Amino acid sequence: LDRFFRAALAQAPLASLPVVTGEIQYHNRGCYSAHGNFKQQVRQAEQRLLTAESLTLLPALSGSCGIAPPALGEAWETLLTCHFHDVIAGTCIMGCYTDAQAMVGHVTHQADVQQTQALTRLAQEVDTSWFGYAGLFVFNPLPRERVVLVALDGFTAVDGACGPRVTHIRDAQTKSLLPLQWVQADA
């Protein structure tokens, strides 16, 4: 690339052009790198909406119920409003970002509600008759296997304070035992 530009600049028409060094964008310098936290929130909201849409369609694909209405259309429109070039680029006034963050928070909440409802419908189809005392429904929304840490907030006293202590987890498909570790809560 350097060779190309040196050769191009050496030719007669370009050789007489002035060379500008330094910043040539004096308006909104650095705007595309500003508000990284907001851009991350927007990206997370996009991912949550995609997951919620996929999960909403799964019961319909399994034949257990009809296709759910497109409840996330309004959420997508709200999120896409935040993609307006001044907002996502970082060139709005601070008050705009207060409103935009509230909008993204609302979108995230809508996606979470839809996801919870879809997972509840899926979990209701799982045969739990072979469970002993309690069960935990874990679902991988990706189209591939993966190894992840699953964390459960133990407010239900599954540590033995109000019943039998949970000492292992059994995979519903393979019936094999999975490792379980109790740790002190952060809060």
Side-chain angles (χ1 to χ4, degrees):
L1 198 57
D2 287 336
R3 265 193 334 233
F4 167 77
F5 281 110
R6 278 196 298 271
L9 290 173
Q11 297 195 13
L14 295 178
S16 62
L17 291 176
V19 175
V20 178
T21 58
E23 183 64 60
I24 60 172
Q25 162 96 350
Y26 295 106
H27 175 69
N28 292 328
R29 275 187 277 176
C31 67
Y32 295 106
S33 61
H35 296 284
N37 186 39
F38 174 71
K39 293 176 186 186
Q40 183 178 22
Q41 289 172 344
V42 168
R43 182 65 182 132
Q44 289 170 348
E46 291 169 349
Q47 291 169 342
R48 283 172 128 148
L49 281 172
L50 287 171
T51 300
E53 281 186 336
S54 298
L55 291 173
T56 300
L57 292 175
L58 281 178
L61 293 174
S62 70
S64 62
C65 67
I67 295 179
L72 295 172
E74 182 182 319
W76 275 112
E77 289 175 12
T78 301
L79 186 62
L80 290 174
T81 301
C82 295
H83 278 250
F84 177 69
H85 72 91
D86 285 347
V87 180
I88 201 73
T91 56
C92 286
I93 60 172
M94 212 51 215
C96 173
Y97 286 99
T98 302
D99 293 343
Q101 284 179 325
M103 291 167 63
V104 172
H106 180 66
V107 165
T108 301
H109 174 71
Q110 288 177 299
D112 289 348
V113 166
Q114 289 293 322
Q115 182 173 327
T116 300
Q117 290 174 351
L119 285 171
T120 299
R121 284 193 302 273
L122 286 170
Q124 289 170 342
E125 295 180 25
V126 176
D127 177 18
T128 58
S129 62
W130 59 276
F131 280 16
Y133 172 69
L136 174 66
F137 179 73
V138 179
F139 181 80
N140 176 13
L142 299 180
R144 59 177 170 77
E145 287 186 14
R146 63 180 175 163
V147 176
V148 295
L149 178 66
V150 176
L152 170 68
D153 224 341
F155 289 122
T156 56
V158 291
D159 61 352
C162 296
R165 178 178 174 79
V166 177
T167 58
H168 61 274
I169 298 174
R170 188 174 300 273
D171 186 296
Q173 291 176 333
T174 65
K175 307 293 190 264
S176 61
L177 295 179
L178 301 175
L180 173 67
Q181 176 185 9
W182 292 99
V183 295
Q184 181 65 37
D186 291 337

